[in-house]
Amino acid sequence: LGLAGSALAVALLLGLSLLNTRAITRPLARLRDKTQEVARGRFGQELEIRSPPELAEVARAFNAMCARLRELDDMKRDFIGHVSHEFHTPLTAIREASGILLEGAFDHAPERRRELAAIIHEECERLIRSSQQLLDLSRLEAGMMTYRFISGSLADLLREAVARWRPLAQRRGIELGLELPPELPPVRMDRERVAQV
């Protein structure tokens, strides 16, 4: 009876040990698999581990980390889209204006040639400013973007925008015009930011 009782106690201890081991190894395996998914950029659903309590706490911390990584991934995607747009617009204007000059479309119209050269120069300056803004990314992330509000003419800004895009429009058979109210009052604005818009 004593030997049988001891054998039963050992078997019971082994069984409990196996259950405890499985209770720990299964959640650890799930955590490992989820970590590998996140490493491949797939965030998916949150990891749910309720026990043991220590691993449940690790799972909560892991989920918080995944949420932050997902947020950063979204920010990166938005940033790349923004940068692509910021560079694409001036490069398109430069390409079109320089293409018109190369074709000799305004060889006998020096004033129009100067306009196109000015557009190319201005868009190059805009690219330089955009690249400078990339270097300022840390300020943007910190919510410390600076604005320079000054009183200025919205009409002048609109005329410049139309002048910038008129050659591209003409090339596509579109006449781009601008009709402004006779008296537009000065506006307090960040000229560069409004021009970007």
Side-chain angles (χ1 to χ4, degrees), residues 74-148:
D74 290 344
M75 283 173 62
K76 178 190 74 175
R77 199 173 298 111
D78 290 346
F79 176 73
I80 289 170
H82 175 73
V83 168
S84 171
H85 173 74
E86 281 297 304
F87 279 82
H88 184 266
T89 303
L91 285 170
T92 300
I94 290 168
R95 182 187 65 195
E96 296 299 326
S98 60
I100 291 169
L101 285 175
L102 287 170
E103 288 170 2
F106 297 116
D107 281 351
H108 302 295
E111 187 57 37
R112 291 306 306 263
R113 287 175 61 84
R114 271 194 296 279
E115 276 180 29
L116 290 173
I119 288 169
I120 292 170
H121 178 77
E122 192 175 311
E123 293 303 318
C124 285
E125 289 294 326
R126 185 171 163 194
L127 281 173
I128 290 167
R129 285 193 303 271
S130 291
S131 63
Q132 183 62 43
Q133 288 171 354
L134 287 178
L135 299 175
D136 264 352
L137 178 60
S138 59
R139 285 193 326 182
L140 180 66
E141 280 186 332
M144 296 171 61
M145 178 61 83
T146 56
Y147 296 94
R148 290 181 53 236

Side-chain angles (χ1 to χ4, degrees), residues 1-194:
L1 188 67
L3 191 57
S6 295
L8 185 61
V10 168
L12 191 59
L13 282 173
L14 281 173
L16 285 172
S17 177
L18 277 171
L19 284 174
N20 271 343
T21 302
R22 288 185 72 184
I24 292 172
T25 56
R26 273 189 177 168
L28 283 175
R30 287 178 58 208
L31 182 60
R32 179 201 62 216
D33 294 343
K34 185 69 176 171
T35 303
Q36 289 171 348
E37 279 182 42
V38 170
R40 288 191 289 271
R42 293 198 300 263
F43 298 102
Q45 294 180 333
E46 286 192 349
L47 179 64
E48 286 189 35
I49 297 175
R50 291 190 175 85
S51 62
E54 295 82 1
L55 285 179
E57 184 62 33
V58 170
R60 278 192 292 276
F62 181 83
N63 288 332
M65 179 194 71
C66 285
R68 180 64 178 142
L69 285 173
R70 189 181 298 114
E71 184 183 326
L72 290 172
D73 197 50
D74 290 344
M75 283 173 62
K76 178 190 74 175
R77 199 173 298 111
D78 290 346
F79 176 73
I80 289 170
H82 175 73
V83 168
S84 171
H85 173 74
E86 281 297 304
F87 279 82
H88 184 266
T89 303
L91 285 170
T92 300
I94 290 168
R95 182 187 65 195
E96 296 299 326
S98 60
I100 291 169
L101 285 175
L102 287 170
E103 288 170 2
F106 297 116
D107 281 351
H108 302 295
E111 187 57 37
R112 291 306 306 263
R113 287 175 61 84
R114 271 194 296 279
E115 276 180 29
L116 290 173
I119 288 169
I120 292 170
H121 178 77
E122 192 175 311
E123 293 303 318
C124 285
E125 289 294 326
R126 185 171 163 194
L127 281 173
I128 290 167
R129 285 193 303 271
S130 291
S131 63
Q132 183 62 43
Q133 288 171 354
L134 287 178
L135 299 175
D136 264 352
L137 178 60
S138 59
R139 285 193 326 182
L140 180 66
E141 280 186 332
M144 296 171 61
M145 178 61 83
T146 56
Y147 296 94
R148 290 181 53 236
F149 289 99
I150 56 171
S151 183
S153 168
L154 192 57
D156 289 347
L157 198 62
L158 291 168
R159 285 188 196 97
E160 288 169 21
V162 168
R164 180 180 301 123
W165 291 103
R166 183 174 280 130
L168 175 62
Q170 285 174 338
R171 193 167 192 171
R172 297 185 180 186
I174 300 167
E175 187 56 42
L176 190 60
L178 178 65
E179 291 181 19
L180 295 171
E183 299 262 341
L184 270 181
V187 177
R188 189 165 166 72
M189 61 181 168
D190 183 317
R191 198 173 195 287
E192 188 176 332
R193 300 281 180 250
V194 175

